[in-house]
Amino acid sequence: MTTKDVGRTAKRGPYAKSEERRQTILDAAHAVFAARGYRGGSLQEVADRAGMSQTSLLHYFPSKRDLLMSVLERRDEITSGAFPDDMEEGLADSVIRTALHNEDIPGVIELYTVLCAESVTDEHPGRDYFTERYGRLRASYGRRFAELAAEGRLRPGVDPDQAATSLVALWDGLQTQWLLAPDQVDVAKGLRGYLNLVILPGTDPTG
Amino acid sequence: MTTKDVGRTAKRGPYAKSEERRQTILDAAHAVFAARGYRGGSLQEVADRAGMSQTSLLHYFPSKRDLLMSVLERRDEITSGAFPDDMEEGLADSVIRTALHNEDIPGVIELYTVLCAESVTDEHPGRDYFTERYGRLRASYGRRFAELAAEGRLRPGVDPDQAATSLVALWDGLQTQWLLAPDQVDVAKGLRGYLNLVILPGTDPTG
C-alpha cells in the first residue's frame, strides 16, 4: 500500500482493499477475454490492464482457469440482477427487459458470445459451465412455457420444451449478428417477434 | 516427391500433387481451428497434423490469415453443395435438408460456431467474412420470405426481413446448444418448429 492510498482505504481495512483489487482484476479479465477470447487472452495482458504484476495477480487467482470461472460467475451476478424471475411479470416482458439491460453493459454480450462458442473446443475449462447453464435455462423457460400452456396461452402445436430451447437459441444467435452489425439487427425486436408468435394474448381476468 | 509416390502421382502430374497437398493442409487446418479456434490453433499444429514442416506449409499458404480465409471458403463449398437455392424446393424443406447435411460432416459445425464467435473479437481476420455472410443470408432468406408473403403464405404480422434474421439466429443458437448437448437438442426439429409457425400451409394449385 502506498502513502497515497492510505486516506482512501484506511477506514475500510485490508479486506475492502483486497476485495477492490479482486474486482479490478475481474474487470480487466472481463475486458481481455471479451476482446481476445480465453485462449487468445494472456494473464500478462490482464495483469497489465489491472496495473499489477502477474505474481500479484496470481495471489488473487491461482490460475487462468480460476480467473475464467470467477469472470463467468460475476457475469451471472451482473445480468441476473435484471432477471429476478419475478412471477408477477410476464415471460415476454422479462425476456425483453433482460435483453435491453444486457445491451447496456459494455462487453457483457461480447464476453458471453466469445467464451460460449470457444467452450465447445477441446478441453476448454468453460465447457461444463455453459453446458449446465443451457440445461438450466432450457428447464427454467420450459416451466414458464408449460405454465402458459396450462393457462391456454401457448399457441396450439407448440411444445413448451422446444419453445424454451428455441428462445435461448434465438437470443444467442441474434446477439452474434448484433455484435457484427448493430445497425442492422435488433435483439429485443427479434425476441418480441418470436414470443408474439408462440404466446397468445391473455384475457383480462378482471374483465 | 519420394520414389514411393511416383506410381501414384505420375499420371496426374505436378499440379494434381500440389492440389493434393493443399487439400491435406486445409483438412488439417479445419480440424485444428475447429478444435482450438483460430487464435488457439498454431501453424505448427496444422503442419504437424498435415505431416509436413511449417516452411512447406507456408509455401502453400503464406500466412495463418490466408489459411483461415481458405478454410472458410472451402467450408462454404462443402455446405453450399447441399443448398443449390433450388426454387422448386420449398424454403422449409431446403433449410431442414441443409441442417441435416451439415450435421453429417464432421467438424463443420464446430468450425463455424467457434470461428464465427471468435470473429467478433478485436482485429480478427474473419470478422468481415462473417459480417458479409450474415448480410447475404439475411437478404437471401428475406427474399424467400417476401415471396411467401406475396403468395399469402407468411403468417399475418410476420415481417419477412425479421423472419430471415431470426431463422439464421435460431439456426446458429441451436447448433451451439447441440454441440454441447447433442442428446438434448435437435437442430432440425427446432428449425421445423419455427418454420411451421411462420409459414402457412400451401394450397394445392392443382386441387
Side-chain angles (χ1 to χ4, degrees):
Chain A
M1 197 186 288
T2 64
T3 339
K4 197 174 116 247
D5 290 325
V6 173
R8 205 171 144 228
T9 61
K11 64 181 172 192
R12 290 177 296 142
Y15 174 76
K17 174 72 181 168
S18 168
E19 185 50 32
E20 187 179 303
R21 297 203 88 185
R22 262 183 68 91
Q23 293 300 325
T24 303
I25 297 167
L26 287 174
D27 283 341
H30 185 124
V32 169
F33 292 156
R36 305 186 53 78
Y38 172 73
R39 288 212 168 95
S42 70
L43 278 183
Q44 188 57 56
E45 224 176 321
V46 176
D48 289 347
R49 203 182 167 104
M52 63 182 70
S53 70
Q54 222 188 112
T55 312
S56 300
L57 186 154
L58 291 169
H59 170 71
Y60 292 90
F61 299 94
S63 71
K64 194 176 168 191
R65 186 190 187 103
D66 290 312
L67 187 53
L68 175 73
M69 298 320 293
S70 297
V71 165
L72 289 172
E73 273 166 32
R74 199 174 61 143
R75 184 201 175 270
D76 284 341
E77 288 164 19
I78 294 170
T79 57
S80 70
F83 190 45
D85 208 18
D86 177 356
M87 297 306 288
E88 294 302 308
E89 184 177 32
L91 173 59
D93 289 340
S94 115
V95 164
I96 303 302
R97 191 167 47 75
T98 307
L100 292 172
H101 173 78
N102 288 352
E103 273 180 28
D104 281 343
I105 316 176
V108 82
I109 296 177
E110 284 87 337
L111 180 86
Y112 170 81
T113 301
V114 172
L115 293 183
C116 175
E118 199 182 27
S119 81
V120 311
T121 59
D122 290 356
E123 294 162 27
H124 193 286
R127 189 177 181 116
D128 288 348
Y129 168 88
F130 282 103
T131 304
E132 281 160 28
R133 183 175 185 281
Y134 279 122
R136 214 165 50 235
L137 284 176
R138 285 193 295 264
S140 158
Y141 285 122
R143 280 193 299 274
R144 301 289 292 265
F145 281 119
E147 286 160 15
L148 287 166
E151 295 164 24
R153 290 193 54 208
L154 201 64
R155 184 178 294 280
V158 173
D159 173 70
D161 291 330
Q162 184 61 61
T165 303
S166 294
L167 175 64
V168 174
L170 179 66
W171 199 337
D172 284 351
L174 287 170
Q175 288 188 152
T176 305
Q177 289 184 56
W178 172 76
L179 287 171
L180 291 170
D183 299 339
Q184 290 168 51
V185 177
D186 184 329
V187 175
K189 196 176 155 195
L191 291 171
R192 177 70 77 185
Y194 179 72
L195 292 164
N196 283 347
L197 277 172
V198 295
I199 303 175
L200 304 174
T203 47
D204 182 352
T206 62
Chain B
M1 198 187 289
T2 64
T3 337
K4 198 174 116 249
D5 290 325
V6 172
R8 205 172 144 226
T9 60
K11 64 179 172 192
R12 288 177 296 141
Y15 174 76
K17 174 73 182 168
S18 169
E19 184 51 33
E20 187 178 304
R21 296 203 89 185
R22 262 184 69 90
Q23 294 300 325
T24 303
I25 297 167
L26 288 174
D27 282 342
H30 184 125
V32 169
F33 291 156
R36 305 186 54 77
Y38 172 73
R39 289 213 168 94
S42 71
L43 277 183
Q44 188 57 56
E45 223 175 323
V46 176
D48 289 347
R49 203 180 167 105
M52 65 183 70
S53 69
Q54 221 187 112
T55 312
S56 300
L57 186 155
L58 291 169
H59 170 72
Y60 292 89
F61 299 94
S63 72
K64 194 176 168 190
R65 185 190 186 102
D66 290 313
L67 187 54
L68 174 73
M69 297 320 292
S70 297
V71 165
L72 289 172
E73 273 165 32
R74 200 172 62 143
R75 185 201 175 271
D76 285 340
E77 288 164 19
I78 294 169
T79 57
S80 69
F83 189 45
D85 208 18
D86 178 356
M87 297 305 288
E88 295 302 308
E89 184 177 32
L91 172 59
D93 288 340
S94 115
V95 164
I96 303 302
R97 192 167 47 75
T98 307
L100 292 172
H101 173 79
N102 288 352
E103 274 181 27
D104 282 342
I105 317 176
V108 82
I109 295 177
E110 284 87 337
L111 180 85
Y112 170 82
T113 300
V114 172
L115 293 184
C116 175
E118 199 183 26
S119 81
V120 312
T121 60
D122 290 356
E123 294 163 27
H124 193 285
R127 189 176 181 117
D128 288 347
Y129 168 88
F130 282 103
T131 305
E132 281 160 28
R133 184 176 184 280
Y134 279 122
R136 215 166 48 235
L137 283 176
R138 284 193 295 264
S140 159
Y141 285 122
R143 280 193 299 273
R144 301 289 292 265
F145 280 119
E147 286 161 15
L148 286 166
E151 295 164 22
R153 290 192 54 208
L154 201 65
R155 184 178 294 280
V158 173
D159 174 69
D161 291 331
Q162 185 60 60
T165 302
S166 294
L167 174 63
V168 174
L170 179 66
W171 199 335
D172 284 352
L174 287 170
Q175 289 188 153
T176 304
Q177 289 185 55
W178 173 76
L179 286 170
L180 291 169
D183 297 339
Q184 291 169 50
V185 176
D186 184 329
V187 176
K189 197 175 155 196
L191 291 171
R192 177 71 77 185
Y194 179 72
L195 292 164
N196 283 347
L197 277 172
V198 295
I199 302 175
L200 303 173
T203 47
D204 183 352
T206 62

